[in-house]
């Protein structure tokens, strides 16, 4: 930073992004050219350095946040690559240009990680997002990728992973952006009501989709997805922050819920907290956010007391243990069972999640471990 290295990288990033804009395909028939791919690789290299430099480094985050042009170019890049990755013409491209489309998503994710780092507890960064109409852009990007999730039911495992990572990072950036900024909350609420994006996508369709899985439904079923656990928890945090201090927002969100209550959001938040606890990723910051949003949701309309108590007990216990030990929360002997995560007795030690195959347990750990880094950069 003292040597001016970040300034050099910033100038290079701006130059490369505007060059990339000229190289990106302009029609459905145009392909991602070799020259365009080279530009994407170059941009990705610069973004990776920015990611490493800004991850949990407050002085670097604050230094970079003084430059609004960095936020402008990051948001521009997210807009361009989201459209290319998940827009109307994306499905055809994924069928014929898998490797280069995967590169496009990789660069998109790198840009989102840098923006996630910069917006962590940073009111100046949140101000830049608002001034550049970033909330509208992020909601549009989320709508595009969620539309792809809903449409492409038979995609490859690589595409599923790309879609999940994109959803997770977009939700996380939006959580960071509205957590300390009433302006961004208002912008998100206004855009949601006018466009219907969040109320239709994250506010309604996503929870309904989660409610069909065994981890969230009231049925005696073990057919659930680890990805749903993570996305459901992030969605609950986002909508909870949106509802915070606003009766109008609370009413609008609850109206979009399947049963008109916060029950589903509380349930998603409970399993999200339990999942993080199980892998040792429920940090004090995440626990504080979970407890805060639980209070917001309960105040908005109650909810099942068992679900609420689970969130509070799990988050409070793990936060206290983590603070006492001074290290990350240890992995707890817990398992998902009919919507709840119960402590195991010693006879169950070494078992996986109730009713899950070894492959599903491995998937949960992969998904939750991926989310654990994002969790360090979101929340209180």
């Amino acid at each position: 930073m003292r040597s001016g290295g970040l300034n050099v990288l910033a100038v290079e990033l701006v130059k490369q992004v505007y060059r990339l804009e000229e190289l990106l395909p302009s029609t459905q028939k145009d392909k991602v050219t070799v020259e365009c791919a080279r530009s994407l690789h170059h941009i990705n290299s610069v973004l990776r350095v920015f990611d490493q430099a800004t991850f949990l480094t407050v002085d670097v985050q604050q230094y970079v946040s003084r430059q609004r042009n960095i936020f402008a170019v990051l948001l521009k890049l997210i807009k361009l690559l989201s459209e290319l990755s998940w827009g109307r013409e994306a499905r055809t491209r994924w069928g014929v240009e898998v490797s280069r489309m995967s590169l496009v998503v990789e660069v998109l994710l790198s840009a989102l990680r840098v923006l996630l780092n910069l917006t962590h507890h940073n009111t100046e960064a949140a101000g830049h997002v608002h001034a550049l109409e970033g909330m509208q852009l992020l909601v549009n990007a989320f709508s595009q990728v969620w539309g792809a999730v809903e449409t492409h039911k038979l995609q490859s495992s690589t595409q599923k992973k790309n879609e999940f990572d994109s959803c997770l990072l977009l939700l996380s950036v939006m959580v960071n952006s509205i957590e300390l900024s009433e302006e961004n909350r208002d912008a998100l609420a206004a855009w949601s009501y006018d466009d219907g994006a969040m109320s239709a996508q994250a506010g309604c369709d996503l929870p309904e989709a989660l409610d069909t899985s065994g981890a969230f439904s009231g049925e005696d079923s073990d057919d659930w997805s680890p990805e749903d656990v993570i996305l459901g928890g992030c969605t609950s945090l986002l909508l909870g922050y949106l509802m915070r201090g606003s009766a109008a927002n609370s009413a609008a969100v609850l109206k979009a819920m399947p049963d008109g209550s916060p029950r589903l959001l509380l349930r998603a938040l409970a399993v999200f907290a339990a999942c993080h606890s199980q892998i040792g990723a429920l940090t004090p910051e995440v626990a504080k956010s979970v407890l805060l949003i639980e209070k917001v949701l309960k105040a908005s309309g109650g909810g099942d007391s068992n679900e609420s108590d689970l969130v509070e007990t799990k988050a409070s216990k793990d936060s206290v243990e983590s603070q006492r030990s001074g290290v990350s929360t240890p992995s707890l002997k817990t398992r998902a069972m009919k919507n709840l995560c119960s402590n195991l007795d010693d006879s169950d030690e070494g078992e996986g999640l109730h009713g899950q195959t070894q492959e599903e347990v491995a998937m949960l750990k992969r998904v939750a471990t991926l989310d654990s880094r994002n969790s360090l950069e979101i929340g209180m």
Side-chain angles (χ1 to χ4, degrees), residues 28-29 38 57 66 105 198 298 318 336 354:
Q28 184 174 354
K29 295 181 180 179
R38 287 175 181 163
T57 311
R66 296 172 191 162
V105 176
M198 286 305 296
K298 288 170 68 175
D318 292 351
H354 176 69

Side-chain angles (χ1 to χ4, degrees), residues 153-165:
K153 298 296 185 180
L154 300 176
Q155 72 273 60
S156 67
S157 58
T158 298
Q159 285 176 275
K160 289 181 180 179
K161 180 181 180 299
N162 286 335
E163 290 170 356
F164 167 78
D165 291 350

Side-chain angles (χ1 to χ4, degrees), residues 5-6 9 43-55 60 114 117:
L6 286 175
L9 285 172
I43 291 172
N44 201 34
S45 297
V46 176
L47 289 172
R48 285 183 174 182
V49 176
F50 264 113
D51 182 20
Q52 292 296 321
T54 57
F55 180 61
V60 176
V114 175
N117 294 346

Side-chain angles (χ1 to χ4, degrees), residues 70-191:
I70 293 295
F71 291 84
V73 77
L74 285 172
L75 289 169
K76 185 179 189 66
L77 188 59
I78 290 168
K79 179 180 179 180
L80 291 172
L81 299 186
S82 292
E83 176 62 33
L84 184 59
S85 301
W86 315 117
R88 294 180 180 179
E89 301 173 356
R91 187 172 186 177
T92 301
R93 295 189 189 283
W94 278 105
V96 296
E97 298 183 88
V98 177
S99 61
R100 289 184 180 175
M101 288 297 287
S102 295
L103 173 61
V104 171
V105 176
E106 184 180 344
V107 180
L108 170 62
L109 297 178
S110 294
L112 285 169
R113 289 189 186 98
V114 175
L115 189 57
L116 181 67
N117 294 346
L118 294 176
T119 53
H120 178 61
H121 291 182
N122 192 331
T123 54
E124 186 172 10
H128 293 321
V129 171
H130 174 72
L132 296 166
E133 299 184 344
M135 295 310 300
Q136 295 92 323
L137 185 151
L138 293 169
V139 172
N140 278 341
F142 182 83
S143 296
Q144 287 176 327
V145 65
W146 189 250
V149 171
E150 291 288 272
T151 304
H152 306 161
K153 298 296 185 180
L154 300 176
Q155 72 273 60
S156 67
S157 58
T158 298
Q159 285 176 275
K160 289 181 180 179
K161 180 181 180 299
N162 286 335
E163 290 170 356
F164 167 78
D165 291 350
S166 298
C167 284
L168 175 59
L169 284 168
L170 282 164
L171 287 171
S172 299
V173 171
M174 285 191 280
V175 168
N176 276 6
S177 298
I178 71 173
E179 180 189 4
L180 301 177
S181 171
E182 291 187 12
E183 290 180 326
N184 281 334
R185 282 181 222 162
D186 292 342
L188 178 60
W191 191 254

